[in-house]
Amino acid sequence: MNKTICFHFNVHQPLRLKTYRFFNMGKDHNYLDMSANRAVVQRVAADCYLPMNNLLLEMIEQYQGAFKVSFSISGLAVEQLKHYAPEALESFKQLAATGCVEFVAGSYCHSLSSLVEGKEFEQEVKAEVAMIKKEFGQTPTTFANTELIYSDAIGDRVAAMGFKAMVTEGAKHVLGWKSADYIYANALNQKLRIALRNYKLSDDISLNFGGGAINADLFMEWLGATNGEVVNHVMGYDTFGERQKASTGIFDFMKALVGKVVAAEGMEFATVGEAAAAHQPIGVLHCPHPMSWADEERDITAWLGNELQNEAFSKLYDMQSNVNKLGSDDFNYVWNFMKASDNFYYMATKWFSDGDAQHYVNPYDSSYAAFINYMNVLSDCQIEVEKALEEKKAAKKKTTKTA
Amino acid sequence: MRVLMFGWEFPPHIAGGLGTACYGLTRSLGKLGVDVNFVVPRAYGDEDQRFVRVVNASDVNATYTSAPVDTAEQELWRRVKFYEIDSNMVPYVTPEDFEKERKAFEESGCNAIHSQIGGDVWKERYTFSGKYGANLMEEVARYATVAAQVARDLEGQFDVIHAHDWLTYYAGMAAKRVSGKPLVVHIHATEYDRSGESVNPEVHAIEKAGMSAADMVMAVSHLTRNIVINRYGIDPSKVVTVHNAVRFAEGQEIEVERGVKDKVVTFLGRITYQKGPDYFVEAAAKVLKRTKNVRFVMAGSGDMMNHVIRRVAKLGIADKFHFTGFLRGDDVKKMFAMSDVYIMPSVSEPFGISPLEAMKSNVPTIISKQSGVAEVLDYAIKVDYWDIDAMADAIYGLVTYPALAHIFAEKGLQEVNAMKWDKAAGEVLDVYEKACAMAK
């Protein structure tokens, strides 16, 4: 049987908060740094989304079905593309129309809702599925959670929503001696197939490529040396043109690599969903504690690892029922961008300030500054939500009285 | 009476309370007919190689008051003459910080801890670093050398020497040696207030030398007077308490539209151990257990800030406890205008001007018993800094019972309006006279 090669790209753009001080509270309810958001989205669209999409389109046409990729794209990213870079959204739609690109579902807000009880996670996934259907004309059957966060219980919830497969990290501490290059089954619901990221080869492209030592021939050797049935390359889409600038030759590398894989004996491309369907699970994967693709630890401490993050997270989800009760578009909009995992990532204190690769996207000077700003916005939002709820109640009373 | 006074700073170039205090004091001394020769360190660029320059006092003053200076005011300032000595001495900086800053500045051209001392002060003084002493102690010694020269030049033009805080003690002592005139040192803060128990021995030694050499020692509170007597072993008979007063810069009242409906309890100051920020946080958590319609604000920055933020998060009150960072100018006024309660839980505070500013803005105030200002205020709630239950009680009372808040706001305003530098200046003049009499 052929070795299946998958490329799965993750597209996400958070909405950056502006500097929101105590003095703004109660008066100013525009929380976003609109110009920063526009600037970032337009830059990434120009440097990454457009050129890489074009390259993918070209190759799909050239190899006539022999080259396939898959995407997960957050609702927040799509909303922003619509506003700031509609041409980039258009090119994603073109990709979707080729029939060689699978759109994989995730959480709409790139949130951590899968770690919370209740229906928030399910609602977000529903919104994401609806968005993919509307924008890209596909009904996703594969799921890739925010930052590939996964546990047995999360997998079970995903399976209950009707997904057939889920992508997560091939984390060493979960796999032990087992190989990431096979398909596994969820421990609670064995109908759900688990595709695992080959982090070594994925990181060689997304993190290590810029060093200049990696070329298509060498990478083919590495691919050939893998023993399993499937090799999943999962990475942030901003790898192409952002993390690895065009000047590193990343685009040429991808072009060459795809050509070689298509030509190679015993290798074929598939989308992650196709690969998970084509290969039988060789075992059950046990993962009682949430894992992710982040850091050396591959756990969730990048987002929920210190008291600042825990406090912000619990205060945020305390608002959940009130926001749901309101059912207002305005508040849902704020609620959505506040949930984005990025907000919590900025508050992490686990890294030292040595210009870590993780920090290149952080708009704050320190975790503390991130926390203060986020809590100011959240507090104002809290007040506004409570006010709106009271008004709603009062209005209801009035109508029942007059009736 | 004619005075040769050594200070650190004078408005508008101030980083803290000492400059404002000097301003209020010299102004009122002027009213009493005292001539003041005020010497301040201030670094200039290469364009001026002279050590000392005399500055027209009304020029200095004009930039401080925004209102046009009237003739009576000008008349007043004619009695004050300024001598600026090229020096990069910076107030509120420990010798260790000085060293760190100097290096940082030389390397990067900008300062690292500017948020704590006010950025421009440092930059202004350090632009031409090569000319001056490499460390703070050298600079203090150099300042003393120049001070001796000033004293020689002004021979016969002053009757008494007045030195404010340790940076200027060597200068005061040098001037005394040259002129034979009596020396009065003025203690606004001691090393124990600044550094707790981990005092810098060099600074301590200078303080002790200055106090011992002085004919009279003035302390800003009984609290500080006790420290001078007990910790520095100074003869009680020559140590006098002269409480500070407060003079509010002319300026229009700030109208602020309040954003939040909740009551606002404010802490404003450096977030350092001496200011007791952690006690405030614990008290806040206690208050929030009882009532929800209150918010807490910590305005300022300092080395304990991150610790305090973590504690707030841990207590789960971060949606009700806000941090503004370092505030300046109008933002400070705005903060006062938005506050319902002001709290100063200082572990050790020689005097403490900020509660007076709060009271001036009609804000009921809670202060620690360990602050000098507690000795002169009746209409402020006083608690031990460590007594978080009492603190929580006081906060709860002021935000819940309007009558209580009203009394403290109204009477507090009257009280603070009655605190005049004229009275303090009269006491200072008494001290000068005593010192002169003793020297004879």
Side-chain angles (χ1 to χ4, degrees):
Chain A
M1 197 176 183
N2 279 343
K3 196 178 280 179
T4 308
I5 310 296
C6 299
F7 274 97
H8 177 79
F9 304 124
N10 171 37
V11 181
H12 168 60
Q13 283 299 331
L15 283 92
R16 287 147 200 87
L17 301 177
K18 69 178 180 189
T19 304
Y20 190 88
R21 307 178 65 197
F22 174 72
F23 297 111
N24 298 55
M25 282 176 58
K27 297 175 203 162
D28 174 6
H29 311 305
N30 297 317
Y31 305 130
L32 295 173
D33 189 339
M34 287 300 191
S35 61
N37 288 326
R38 186 176 60 226
V40 172
V41 168
Q42 289 181 346
R43 188 192 72 224
V44 178
D47 293 351
C48 164
Y49 301 160
L50 283 170
M52 191 60 186
N53 283 1
N54 283 340
L55 177 62
L56 294 178
L57 276 168
E58 234 171 68
M59 292 193 293
I60 286 167
E61 205 170 307
Q62 184 185 348
Y63 298 118
Q64 298 180 349
F67 173 56
K68 293 173 172 183
V69 292
S70 45
F71 277 99
S72 51
I73 178 164
S74 74
L76 294 186
V78 169
E79 281 178 19
Q80 293 196 83
L81 287 179
K82 243 183 219 175
H83 287 125
Y84 303 134
E87 68 285 3
L89 183 60
E90 201 47 51
S91 81
F92 278 113
K93 287 183 182 175
Q94 282 172 19
L95 280 172
T98 60
C100 294
V101 178
E102 180 187 5
F103 278 79
V104 168
S107 68
Y108 187 88
C109 316
H110 202 76
S111 76
L112 304 172
S113 295
S114 58
L115 300 170
V116 180
E117 312 258 306
K119 289 273 163 251
E120 195 59 37
F121 178 51
E122 280 74 10
Q123 281 176 21
E124 263 193 61
V125 175
K126 218 191 249 174
E128 170 84 359
V129 168
M131 182 274 291
I132 289 175
K133 213 170 192 173
K134 179 164 171 269
E135 302 295 337
F136 306 111
Q138 297 187 9
T139 305
T141 55
T142 310
F143 191 84
N145 201 8
T146 308
E147 311 284 347
L148 301 192
I149 291 171
Y150 175 82
S151 70
D152 292 341
I154 292 171
D156 192 32
R157 284 169 83 173
V158 167
M161 287 185 270
F163 290 98
K164 306 259 181 291
M166 186 164 171
V167 186
T168 184
E169 174 70 334
K172 227 176 185 148
H173 73 272
V174 173
L175 282 169
W177 55 269
K178 296 197 275 293
S179 161
D181 300 335
Y182 291 92
I183 299 297
Y184 291 85
N186 175 265
L188 299 175
N189 186 336
Q190 298 187 8
K191 279 189 187 146
L192 184 79
R193 296 187 175 190
I194 307 298
L196 297 172
R197 171 177 182 259
N198 183 315
Y199 66 81
K200 167 104 200 7
L201 292 178
S202 299
D203 287 350
D204 278 336
I205 298 176
S206 66
L207 299 178
N208 306 334
F209 181 79
I214 297 167
N215 58 46
D217 288 321
L218 182 61
F219 206 86
M220 282 303 288
E221 253 176 62
W222 290 344
L223 271 180
T226 58
N227 294 320
E229 298 172 351
V230 190
V231 181
N232 288 309
H233 303 87
V234 184
M235 61 197 76
Y237 198 40
D238 61 354
T239 296
F240 306 99
E242 270 281 305
R243 261 176 212 258
Q244 308 297 342
K245 301 288 175 207
S247 59
T248 60
I250 186 81
F251 292 108
D252 296 332
F253 164 78
M254 284 303 288
K255 202 168 170 177
L257 179 64
V258 169
K260 283 180 197 294
V261 170
V262 170
E265 284 282 313
M267 281 190 200
E268 60 177 9
F269 279 112
T271 69
V272 281
E274 289 171 353
H279 296 273
Q280 276 301 313
I282 59 156
V284 165
L285 190 74
H286 287 279
C287 182
H289 303 293
M291 65 152 159
S292 79
W293 70 350
D295 314 321
E296 203 55 40
E297 295 88 350
R298 301 290 199 270
D299 60 10
I300 57 166
T301 56
W303 306 278
L304 295 173
N306 65 28
E307 53 266 73
L308 306 181
Q309 295 167 315
N310 293 340
E311 163 77 347
F313 187 75
S314 75
K315 284 282 145 59
L316 172 72
Y317 280 93
D318 281 351
M319 282 173 64
Q320 183 183 332
S321 73
N322 279 351
V323 173
N324 285 340
K325 258 186 242 163
L326 270 179
S328 129
D329 287 346
D330 287 345
F331 283 113
N332 285 340
Y333 177 68
V334 175
W335 173 240
N336 280 348
F337 66 69
M338 289 301 279
K339 277 189 296 182
S341 63
D342 312 73
N343 293 311
F344 302 97
Y345 195 76
Y346 304 147
M347 299 174 201
T349 45
K350 61 191 275 191
W351 306 291
F352 300 105
S353 52
D354 59 353
D356 193 291
Q358 319 283 358
H359 278 285
Y360 85 114
V361 287
N362 192 338
Y364 296 100
D365 290 342
S366 76
S367 342
Y368 299 96
F371 175 73
I372 290 171
N373 208 50
Y374 183 83
M375 288 311 296
N376 282 349
V377 171
L378 189 68
S379 303
D380 183 67
C381 184
Q382 238 177 22
I383 298 172
E384 289 304 304
V385 165
E386 268 159 33
K387 225 194 274 173
L389 260 185
E390 262 163 43
E391 277 164 21
K392 200 176 172 183
K393 257 184 222 157
K396 214 174 175 184
K397 238 182 213 167
K398 224 176 180 180
T399 49
T400 47
K401 252 184 198 166
T402 48
Chain B
M1 184 66 68
R2 297 162 305 169
V3 193
L4 175 61
M5 198 180 277
F6 292 98
W8 287 359
E9 53 172 15
F10 205 81
H13 302 283
I14 57 166
L18 183 59
T20 357
C22 286
Y23 178 88
L25 180 62
T26 44
R27 187 178 171 281
S28 290
L29 282 173
K31 274 198 214 168
L32 293 175
V34 176
D35 287 315
V36 181
N37 293 300
F38 200 101
V39 185
V40 276
R42 175 123 191 255
Y44 284 91
D46 279 339
E47 85 281 356
D48 186 3
Q49 295 299 326
R50 286 172 303 155
F51 274 132
V52 183
R53 58 159 61 189
V54 182
V55 186
N56 185 346
S58 58
D59 283 349
V60 179
N61 182 44
T63 37
Y64 182 52
T65 50
S66 48
V69 185
D70 56 61
T71 44
E73 189 77 10
Q74 258 174 353
E75 194 56 42
L76 206 58
W77 286 110
R78 215 154 272 161
R79 295 195 162 277
V80 182
K81 211 178 261 163
F82 278 87
Y83 301 85
E84 292 188 336
I85 295 184
D86 284 3
S87 163
N88 51 32
M89 276 184 2
V90 177
Y92 307 107
V93 169
T94 63
E96 292 79 17
D97 283 340
F98 185 91
E99 185 60 26
K100 211 162 54 188
E101 276 295 271
R102 201 182 67 89
K103 281 205 183 114
F105 192 88
E106 271 174 5
E107 277 161 23
S108 64
C110 63
N111 46 328
I113 53 166
H114 58 89
S115 60
Q116 286 170 39
I117 59 160
D120 36 8
V121 174
W122 185 268
K123 196 156 190 184
E124 200 170 84
R125 293 186 184 191
Y126 224 91
T127 320
F128 301 93
S129 52
K131 268 169 62 187
Y132 306 117
N135 65 51
L136 190 54
M137 292 305 169
E138 229 173 79
E139 196 56 40
V140 168
R142 210 183 63 87
Y143 185 61
T145 319
V146 183
Q149 188 56 47
V150 174
R152 208 166 283 136
D153 292 348
L154 293 178
E155 193 163 5
Q157 296 179 44
F158 60 91
D159 309 306
V160 64
I161 303 155
H162 184 162
H164 294 278
D165 271 4
W166 74 275
L167 282 171
T168 70
Y169 288 173
Y170 276 172
M173 288 155 73
K176 179 180 171 170
R177 206 167 302 146
V178 168
S179 65
K181 298 293 181 192
L183 170 66
V184 175
V185 299
H186 201 151
I187 321 288
H188 297 265
T190 66
E191 182 62 9
Y192 292 98
D193 302 306
R194 286 184 294 263
S195 310
E197 288 304 312
S198 53
V199 296
N200 180 317
E202 273 185 287
V203 175
H204 184 270
I206 294 178
E207 287 183 326
K208 183 158 180 172
M211 294 176 199
S212 307
D215 299 273
M216 290 294 285
V217 178
M218 289 190 286
V220 292
S221 62
H222 298 312
L223 190 85
T224 306
R225 181 173 180 268
N226 286 338
I227 294 177
V228 169
I229 293 166
N230 297 330
R231 297 293 189 111
Y232 294 85
I234 304 302
D235 174 9
S237 67
K238 71 171 192 183
V239 189
V240 207
T241 301
V242 177
H243 285 114
N244 276 346
V246 62
R247 184 174 182 278
F248 299 100
E250 309 290 327
Q252 64 295 357
E253 284 294 300
I254 279 210
E255 274 301 312
V256 185
E257 189 205 335
R258 291 184 61 136
V260 289
K261 271 195 295 178
D262 300 330
K263 299 284 183 188
V264 174
V265 183
T266 304
F267 168 107
L268 197 151
R270 281 177 296 121
I271 307 180
T272 57
Y273 169 76
Q274 264 61 42
K275 300 289 179 185
D278 37 354
Y279 300 101
F280 176 48
V281 173
E282 301 301 325
K286 281 184 181 274
V287 173
L288 283 169
K289 279 201 186 115
R290 289 274 171 274
T291 175
K292 288 289 162 220
N293 62 346
V294 55
R295 286 175 190 277
F296 297 85
V297 176
M298 187 168 278
S301 59
D303 58 11
M304 263 182 70
M305 184 159 175
N306 291 350
H307 163 84
V308 171
I309 296 171
R310 280 200 303 274
R311 183 65 189 152
V312 164
K314 190 104 193 177
L315 286 167
I317 55 173
D319 54 339
K320 299 278 190 181
F321 199 112
H322 308 281
F323 295 86
T324 67
F326 185 78
L327 297 183
R328 47 185 97 225
D330 276 356
D331 278 345
V332 174
K333 286 190 195 167
K334 226 177 169 177
M335 195 63 247
F336 281 131
M338 290 172 77
S339 303
D340 295 286
V341 175
Y342 180 82
I343 184 159
M344 185 183 75
S346 296
V347 170
S348 166
E349 185 79 58
F351 191 75
I353 282 284
S354 68
L356 305 179
E357 286 169 0
M359 290 161 79
K360 180 77 184 174
S361 313
N362 259 312
V363 183
T365 299
I366 302 168
I367 54 178
S368 76
K369 290 179 184 169
Q370 288 70 26
S371 66
V373 73
E375 296 164 14
V376 292
L377 285 180
D378 289 326
Y379 289 97
I381 299 185
K382 298 167 198 171
V383 296
D384 283 306
Y385 72 84
W386 45 262
D387 194 346
I388 51 176
D389 287 321
M391 212 181 282
D393 235 18
I395 294 171
Y396 182 82
L398 286 174
V399 300
T400 325
Y401 312 125
L404 186 68
H406 186 73
I407 285 187
F408 275 99
E410 195 183 66
K411 300 279 186 186
L413 181 62
Q414 287 172 10
E415 191 171 26
V416 78
N417 277 338
M419 294 178 72
K420 298 283 187 211
W421 273 112
D422 292 355
K423 182 171 165 280
E427 288 167 25
V428 170
L429 189 54
D430 288 345
V431 172
Y432 289 164
E433 273 158 7
K434 211 168 162 197
C436 289
M438 279 164 72
K440 268 175 196 154

